[in-house]
Amino acid sequence: MKIILTLSILTVLLSGCAAMSVEQCKTANWLNVGEKDGAAGRESRLDQYYSSCQKANIIPNQSLYEKGYQKGLSYYCRPETIFNEALEGRGDFRVCPLEKRESLRSYYQVANNYYQANSEFNRSQSDLNYYLKELERKDLSVKDRDDYKKRLYDLRLNSSAVQSRYQDAVRNLEGFKAEHGLR
């Protein structure tokens, strides 16, 4: 019984990894599929589609997919798009054609540096608030109380560096936005 249950779970998990269902393979407009992948800033997923569609004995149309993919990348590989995606912790300029990468690199790096510094700052503040609140509990064991005090001490020691990185990232971001006419 355990083996059947394990195999069932494994089948569900592996089917969740498929890039496309058999039904989607049958009705796919490969030009649109490629365009959607490119516009989303994904790496080409054609190999994944070959694997997924093999079950339905369908071979993706490589030339239509590639044509759509390049068209989609033309939407994605714009400075504003790369910048906004990186501000949200997504995307990567390295999916763009080689000839565009160098001009997009700074847009990605400044925005991604801000995203990383902001995430670290927020995580630090959240951790600080969590441990302070936990220390107010009356039912906290001595071991946990000592552990939380140690963590608070470490957070406070590191907080000026975290705050400094965050402030530098904000300054760099605002300067970059002003210099490049970004909102």
Side-chain angles (χ1 to χ4, degrees), residues 38-124:
R42 293 187 185 112
E43 293 279 343
S44 173
R45 298 178 0 161
L46 192 56
D47 288 341
Q48 294 172 22
Y49 296 136
Y50 273 112
S51 295
S52 296
C53 295
Q54 186 176 27
K55 299 170 198 156
N57 291 324
I58 293 174
I59 298 172
N61 186 319
Q62 182 176 354
S63 64
L64 284 178
Y65 177 86
E66 288 298 331
K67 185 176 178 182
Y69 183 73
Q70 292 306 316
K71 184 178 180 183
L73 280 181
S74 72
Y75 303 135
Y76 178 78
C77 295
R78 295 178 178 166
E80 301 82 11
T81 304
I82 296 296
F83 183 79
N84 290 325
E85 287 288 300
L87 276 178
E88 298 294 324
R90 298 187 307 258
D92 193 345
F93 71 98
R94 292 172 293 192
V95 299
C96 298
L98 281 172
E99 64 274 6
K100 289 187 172 188
R101 287 184 195 169
E102 199 53 44
S103 66
L104 297 171
R105 179 186 308 274
S106 61
Y107 287 86
Y108 177 81
Q109 285 179 329
V110 167
N112 185 260
N113 287 346
Y114 169 79
Y115 174 80
Q116 297 297 328
N118 186 49
S119 296
E120 181 185 28
F121 179 77
N122 289 336
R123 199 170 34 255
S124 176

Side-chain angles (χ1 to χ4, degrees), residues 130-164:
Y130 172 78
Y131 292 121
L132 286 171
K133 187 171 176 92
E134 284 296 301
L135 284 172
E136 292 175 3
R137 288 182 33 206
K138 303 290 185 220
D139 63 338
L140 201 59
S141 71
V142 172
K143 181 186 179 309
D144 286 342
R145 186 171 303 282
D146 289 343
D147 183 45
Y148 290 171
K149 284 180 181 178
K150 166 89 172 85
R151 290 177 190 220
L152 266 174
Y153 177 78
D154 291 343
L155 281 167
R156 287 181 174 144
L157 273 179
N158 195 30
S159 71
S160 62
V162 169
Q163 200 163 22
S164 179

